[in-house]
Every structure is written in structure tokens, then in C-alpha cells.
Amino acid sequence: EVWENKACVLREVGWLDSEDNLNMDQLEEDIATLPGALASGLSDTQELCMNRTSQVTLEGLFSSDEFGGEGEIEDEDRMEGKCKPQVNPEQLLDIEMHLQKLAFFRCVHENFMDGCGNYLLEVIGEMMSEQGV
């Protein structure tokens, strides 16, 4: 459900096609419409975010510090009697593909917010210099 809500918006802006494949041409075209200094600061977005998210897995997610993980999923023998999800390999692949897409767009968002912040600081700095402040 989380992916579907976000994917709906991303489809509307053309960053996903009808089969939820990334449309990097549209994303790059949209970035190019931003002010030059901002757009150039975001020019590495695709490469940066692909590198950051291409290896995202459920095991990696749940073993991260955010989840208090220990680096690996518990041994099956130790899981006996605990709530253990039954996921076949096909379902796992589907979940991880959606997870990678969510991680990719989170990365795009973070990169955009960092770029905008830096751009605004630069513009404000220039304005203050012009005013002699």
C-alpha cells in the first residue's frame, strides 16, 4: 500500500511508467527545468541513487541500526515458535523490487532537498553580499 500511494504520484509526474519502471529521461528532463546552479548540483542524482539503492534487501533493511539489527536474519532453528513470515522467493523478489524503488525515490528526495538547501544558502549569501551585509 505504501508503494502504491507513492507510485500513483510518481506515475502522474511521469517518473514511472504504467508498469512502475523508472523513467529516468523524464526525471532528468524535470531536473533540467530548475535554475542552472541547482540543476547542475543535481546532475549526479541518477548515478548516486542507483548506486545507493541497487543492493537494498529486506535482510539489509532489518539488520540496519534503525531497526536495531545484528547484521543477519535469525537462524531458522531459533525462529521456531516465533512469528515467522512465510514468503516464497518470488514474493521476496517482488517485495525487494518495491523496496529498491522506494529507496531510490527517497534518495532522489534527499538529494533534491540537500541541493535546494545549498542553492538557497548560495542565493541568500549573494543577496547579503550585494546589500553589504
Side-chain angles (χ1 to χ4, degrees), residues 10-102:
L10 296 168
R11 279 186 220 107
E12 285 296 314
V13 297
W15 292 4
L16 289 176
D17 66 18
S18 61
E19 295 178 8
D20 290 350
N21 297 309
L22 301 174
N23 183 352
M24 289 309 303
D25 292 337
Q26 184 64 52
L27 177 59
E28 290 172 358
E29 186 177 312
D30 290 344
I31 287 173
T33 65
L34 300 170
L38 178 54
S40 68
L42 298 175
S43 63
D44 68 340
T45 297
Q46 178 181 4
E47 183 178 348
L48 173 78
C49 293
M50 287 291 193
N51 287 336
R52 279 191 189 169
T53 62
S54 64
Q55 300 301 316
V56 171
T57 63
L58 281 176
E59 184 171 351
L61 175 68
F62 288 111
S63 65
S64 69
D65 290 338
E66 291 179 59
F67 286 92
E70 299 172 3
E72 60 185 71
I73 294 178
E74 288 188 30
D75 184 35
E76 285 191 35
D77 295 336
R78 291 180 25 206
M79 291 291 288
E80 210 57 46
K82 294 183 181 180
C83 179
K84 180 179 165 189
Q86 298 297 316
V87 180
N88 69 42
E90 200 172 289
Q91 288 173 311
L92 182 61
L93 179 62
D94 187 52
I95 290 168
E96 288 186 343
M97 292 301 295
H98 284 92
L99 182 61
Q100 286 178 358
K101 290 175 186 178
L102 284 167

